[in-house]
Amino acid sequence: RLTDSPLTLVVTPDSPPFPKDQVIKFVTNYLPLPTLILLVFGYKFIKQSAMVRAKHMDFRGVCDPDNHFADWKEEEPPTTFWGKVWFFL
């Protein structure tokens, strides 16, 4: 039966409309996703730019796994008592 479902919404002429706070919560929770999709694909369409896969991107300036430790410098050991405590921690 239809009325046994917990998701059944019964609307009668005497029932009030949806509360305003529920409408506001719904809009603020679900409006950003289609807006984001519209903005991203709208930009892609207007600028005629292509999607680039991660394997084709150049990350050498950010993270170069082949040369990761090239600029690594060893820290000098601490000389003061509190420096040694901090180094130990």
Side-chain angles (χ1 to χ4, degrees):
R1 293 183 0 188
L2 184 63
T3 57
D4 291 339
S5 172
L7 300 176
T8 302
L9 177 65
V10 178
V11 179
T12 63
D14 296 333
S15 64
F18 291 110
K20 187 174 183 177
D21 63 330
Q22 284 185 350
V23 173
I24 291 172
K25 287 179 184 177
F26 178 82
V27 169
T28 56
N29 284 323
Y30 291 104
L31 187 64
L33 183 62
T35 304
L36 174 70
I37 292 171
L38 180 69
L39 289 173
V40 167
F41 286 106
Y43 176 83
K44 291 287 187 186
F45 179 74
I46 290 172
K47 296 293 184 174
Q48 298 292 316
S49 60
M51 296 282 189
V52 179
R53 296 199 178 270
K55 65 182 179 182
H56 299 285
M57 293 181 188
D58 182 20
F59 291 110
R60 283 181 285 172
V62 179
C63 178
D64 188 6
D66 298 330
N67 198 11
H68 184 68
F69 296 107
D71 57 350
W72 180 267
K73 292 189 293 185
E74 287 292 326
E75 293 184 20
E76 295 181 14
T79 56
T80 64
F81 172 74
W82 291 112
K84 291 177 183 179
V85 170
W86 182 255
F87 184 75
F88 177 74
L89 295 177

